[in-house]
Amino acid sequence: MMKLKDILNGQLNAAEWEAKGYELPKYNIKDVREKTAKNPTWVHFGGGNIFRAFPAAILNDALNTGKYDRGVIVAETFDFEVIDKAYAPYDNLSLCVNLCSDGSIEKKVIASVTEALKADPQFPDWNRLVEIFKNPSLQMISFTITEKGYTFNDADLARGMKPLFAMGKVCALLFERYKAGKLPLTVQSMDNCSHNGDKVKAGVFAYAERWLQDGLVEQGFIDYLKDETKITFPWSMIDKITPRPHEKVKELLAADGFEDNDYIETEKHTFTAPFVNAEEVQYLVIEDHYTNGRPPLDLGGALYTTRETVDKVETMKVTTCLNPLHTAMSIYGCMLDYTLISAEMKDDDLRAFIQKIGYMEAMPVVVDPGVLNPYEFIGAVLNKRLPNPFMPDAPQRIAMDTSQKLPIRFGETLKKYIARGLDKSNLVLIPLTLAGYARYLKGLKDDLTAFEPSPDPMLAELQAIVAPLEIGKADQDWSPLKQLYSRKDVFGLDLYEAGFGDQIEGMVKELYAGKGAVRATLHKYVAAR
């Protein structure tokens, strides 16, 4: 039987692990932990699944090269049970299980995490964090706390040096580093949101400026945070799917004799386990703007580049090669009664639908970022990521907040066609996607049975617009469509002013023709394309 704790307690049977396909660390774990404790270089905020399966895993790969000897210290700002239940019982070790689209799995023990701390003054760990932030060796702090983690409000700003929110805690620790001699540091977001470094910066400055106003810090601290020879807030683009621990993975590990396969659900409803299952494809592109050196994550596959290039990669992903395809197939997948993205990829119409959106309609406006080939990126999406049967992602999840996504995922492409004077007649399936949204809002599948549209802050308002429209009634007042498709806040532009309104309206009428009209309309336009 195999347990993670055996790796450090002297009971490791390496031959057994390796015979069953488990990759063990190639470095001396105890030596790395000792060196990191004395001279830490990296603290990461957010101990969730994405951290263990990606940033910690690529550091693990870097350590395996023998060219680096420092680990990462993880600090949890929100759900402290994660430290107690997913880190401490397993000596901060975890198992990364990459689920490949060909049905194979890669199993790798991650030992790069040297300490796991609760980032809050109510815990003794806070003193250790202050000690780390005062150490000149610290090079980088990073984050996977989701975009919501960068928020702040007046109540928390008013708490002074005892904030509850993550950005307040980070600002307090940066103040300790300032007092220790204005030591340099890079504050690096690794969250999946556009221009993520700016979000961290805004959060930190909100606290720092309020504390200056309240007399808790001096102007010198603000100057320190603004000095890019001392503190930087680079951008990054991260992309890797790490769903909740999956039953199939648990069964596979149990069959190997790997015992650490229990599910963990905290009181705050964090779902985790001693193992993390993830897709095989991953990207981490980072703006190379550091003030005190940096861990060599490029040894594990990260790409360091300029801010402009990071922005190009982000734009490529969000407006062409991934996000629009997700949204298109989620809208139609819900109406065609699919519950898995991987199952949708077996549908000839849906697969061709998103393939043609990406390669034929969106690709003409893509700016090649140079570090990642757009055609190879979209090829991995279509042939490895979306068809992966191990990834239990659902169109219903992806369809959440669709009204907030359409302006970026499709509106930006339409604007570029107009700005560059490109032939708008090339756009057929993107308009069909937008037409599908008016049909999706009715909450009726193609067989006319009901489904519940996914949560969306504008759902009720937009459903009220299409409420007068009836499915199966050709001779009716279609004026609500004008009201819907002229909404710049939903689509990024007035689609009638842009010259797409009549085209989309005609498609909506076909989608509303009656039972089976969604499939028939989808097939018609995809086949003609």
Side-chain angles (χ1 to χ4, degrees), residues 437-454:
Y437 190 51
R439 177 64 177 76
Y440 167 90
L441 289 169
K442 293 299 289 185
L444 292 173
K445 300 175 189 175
D446 199 20
D447 63 5
L448 302 186
T449 59
F451 75 90
E452 184 176 351
S454 301

Side-chain angles (χ1 to χ4, degrees), residues 56-122:
I58 61 174
L59 177 61
N60 194 77
D61 290 344
L63 290 168
N64 278 337
T65 68
K67 298 178 181 179
Y68 193 58
D69 60 4
R70 307 294 164 86
V72 58
I73 297 165
V74 67
E76 177 58 38
T77 62
F78 172 69
D79 194 341
F80 305 119
E81 275 189 272
V82 169
I83 301 298
D84 293 331
K85 294 183 177 180
Y87 282 89
Y90 307 101
D91 291 335
N92 299 330
L93 304 172
S94 63
L95 182 71
C96 180
V97 182
N98 284 325
L99 308 168
C100 304
S101 56
D102 63 4
S104 63
I105 62 174
E106 301 170 348
K107 297 167 286 190
K108 182 183 299 186
V109 173
I110 307 301
S112 56
V113 178
T114 60
E115 294 178 67
L117 306 174
K118 299 174 183 178
D120 193 278
Q122 68 176 301

Side-chain angles (χ1 to χ4, degrees), residues 37 40 42-46 72-78 80 83 115-136 138 140-143 166 169-177 180 183 185:
W42 179 14
V43 172
H44 183 88
F45 291 88
V72 58
I73 297 165
V74 67
E76 177 58 38
T77 62
F78 172 69
F80 305 119
I83 301 298
E115 294 178 67
L117 306 174
K118 299 174 183 178
D120 193 278
Q122 68 176 301
F123 299 109
D125 290 351
W126 184 257
N127 294 330
R128 171 59 178 151
L129 275 170
V130 170
E131 177 187 347
I132 292 167
F133 269 73
K134 289 181 175 180
N135 195 319
L138 186 63
M140 174 175 80
I141 61 173
S142 59
F143 306 85
K169 296 173 184 178
V170 169
C171 189
L173 290 167
L174 287 172
F175 186 53
E176 295 290 347
R177 192 162 181 82
L183 301 172
L185 188 68

Side-chain angles (χ1 to χ4, degrees), residues 227-508:
D227 183 352
E228 291 196 3
T229 68
K230 299 292 186 181
I231 303 293
T232 54
F233 300 87
W235 294 359
S236 71
M237 190 286 288
I238 188 169
D239 190 16
K240 185 180 180 74
I241 298 174
T242 53
R244 293 177 181 180
H246 197 277
E247 181 65 32
K248 289 183 179 178
V249 177
K250 179 178 179 178
E251 292 171 358
L252 288 169
L253 299 178
D256 286 340
F258 182 78
E259 293 188 15
D260 296 328
N261 52 28
D262 292 330
Y263 291 139
I264 299 167
E265 179 181 359
T266 69
E267 290 186 4
K268 291 186 176 179
H269 303 295
T270 298
F271 296 88
T272 186
F275 66 90
V276 181
N277 43 238
E279 66 171 336
E280 62 189 300
V281 180
Q282 59 187 33
Y283 304 96
L284 181 58
V285 185
I286 305 173
E287 177 189 353
D288 195 0
H289 191 23
Y290 288 76
T291 60
N292 195 34
R294 55 170 168 76
L297 297 185
D298 48 332
L299 293 176
L303 299 174
Y304 288 102
T305 184
T306 64
R307 172 169 289 202
E308 181 183 15
T309 301
V310 172
D311 195 37
K312 288 177 180 177
V313 172
E314 177 76 23
T315 300
M316 177 190 76
K317 169 194 165 188
V318 172
T319 66
T320 303
C321 294
L322 176 61
N323 298 30
L325 312 188
H326 254 157
T327 292
M329 67 193 308
S330 70
I331 290 172
Y332 278 85
C334 290
M335 293 189 291
L336 295 173
D337 202 23
Y338 280 101
T339 57
L340 285 174
I341 292 295
S342 58
E344 285 193 67
M345 290 301 289
K346 297 177 182 178
D347 184 307
D348 290 341
D349 288 333
L350 287 170
R351 182 180 177 88
F353 179 42
I354 64 168
Q355 183 172 327
K356 291 178 178 180
I357 286 176
Y359 284 124
M360 298 174 67
E361 299 194 7
M363 195 65 78
V365 301
V366 167
V367 176
D368 188 339
V371 295
L372 290 176
N373 183 290
Y375 288 91
E376 292 177 2
F377 190 103
I378 201 170
V381 169
L382 293 168
N383 300 315
K384 290 185 176 181
R385 306 183 73 180
L386 299 182
N388 193 332
F390 279 116
M391 291 291 106
D393 215 349
Q396 290 76 18
R397 185 194 72 82
I398 295 169
M400 291 174 62
D401 303 329
T402 294
S403 70
Q404 312 299 294
K405 299 171 180 175
L406 293 174
I408 300 297
R409 299 186 179 191
F410 297 102
E412 289 304 309
T413 294
L414 300 183
K415 289 177 184 177
K416 288 174 183 174
Y417 264 80
I418 295 168
R420 299 177 189 178
L422 300 177
D423 184 2
K424 290 191 288 186
S425 67
N426 185 50
L427 294 168
V428 176
L429 301 182
I430 288 177
L432 183 64
T433 302
L434 303 181
Y437 190 51
R439 177 64 177 76
Y440 167 90
L441 289 169
K442 293 299 289 185
L444 292 173
K445 300 175 189 175
D446 199 20
D447 63 5
L448 302 186
T449 59
F451 75 90
E452 184 176 351
S454 301
D456 186 309
M458 300 183 72
L459 180 62
E461 178 184 353
L462 299 178
Q463 282 188 307
I465 294 175
V466 301
L469 300 179
E470 297 180 40
I471 294 176
K473 186 179 180 181
D475 184 18
Q476 62 178 313
D477 178 9
W478 293 97
S479 61
L481 296 180
K482 181 83 171 181
Q483 182 183 351
L484 177 65
Y485 288 109
S486 61
R487 293 281 296 261
K488 294 182 181 180
D489 57 336
V490 178
F491 301 100
L493 68 172
D494 182 324
L495 291 165
Y496 285 90
E497 289 180 356
F500 299 104
D502 292 339
Q503 176 191 20
I504 293 172
E505 188 173 311
M507 291 172 167
V508 174

